[in-house]
Amino acid sequence: MCLALGRSTAAVFHLMRVIEITLKAVSKCLGLHAPASPNWGSWLQPIREDVKNRGSKWADYSFFQDVWQRIDAIKDAQRNQTMHVETIYTDEQALLIFKSTEGFIQKIASRMDEPGRPLA
């Protein structure tokens, strides 16, 4: 809706909310407890440690390693600037972020539901 109305920065803001829900679902899927802080770093650190501790012989290692790295990259490249009002996004930038988020969410949805219950 925001993209249709020419509100590209608002669209990216809402996409970051979607990624935050994904971050929480990943954490739950791994059986981790919610951290006290809402900061993405507080969520990502235990995920990273858990994936590393399970090791590369774990069947889901590649999936969760990729997920952790992508969310961490999104945090640094878009989330922080969007939430702290540092960046204004053009329609083209917002559409690119939308398409990237859509593909990422489809990948996550193939493995877990929104509450983090494993599907595979």
Side-chain angles (χ1 to χ4, degrees):
M1 183 68 125
C2 292
L3 283 174
L5 295 173
R7 302 291 187 209
S8 51
T9 300
V12 175
F13 172 84
H14 291 288
L15 290 168
M16 295 306 104
R17 297 284 303 262
V18 169
I19 297 294
E20 186 167 330
I21 291 167
T22 303
L23 173 61
K24 292 176 180 181
V26 169
S27 179
K28 288 177 186 176
C29 187
L30 292 171
L32 302 173
H33 297 288
S37 171
N39 181 303
W40 281 24
S42 298
W43 287 85
L44 284 167
Q45 184 63 28
I47 292 170
R48 179 176 164 255
E49 289 174 10
D50 187 71
V51 171
K52 282 188 172 188
N53 288 339
R54 292 179 192 232
S56 61
K57 294 189 191 294
W58 175 40
D60 290 326
Y61 178 80
S62 294
F63 176 87
F64 282 101
Q65 178 73 9
D66 179 55
V67 166
W68 171 81
Q69 289 174 337
R70 285 191 192 196
I71 296 174
D72 192 52
I74 291 166
K75 174 183 70 73
D76 293 341
Q78 287 134 7
R79 188 266 178 199
N80 291 346
Q81 291 80 5
T82 302
M83 302 310 269
H84 301 296
V85 196
E86 295 175 8
T87 303
I88 304 293
Y89 293 95
T90 65
D91 289 346
E92 293 80 19
Q93 290 170 318
L95 185 58
L96 181 63
I97 293 167
F98 175 83
K99 288 179 180 179
S100 177
T101 301
E102 178 183 37
F104 182 56
I105 295 302
Q106 287 173 347
K107 176 181 177 135
I108 297 294
S110 73
R111 179 63 179 76
M112 68 192 75
D113 65 9
E114 186 176 328
R117 290 184 296 262
L119 299 177

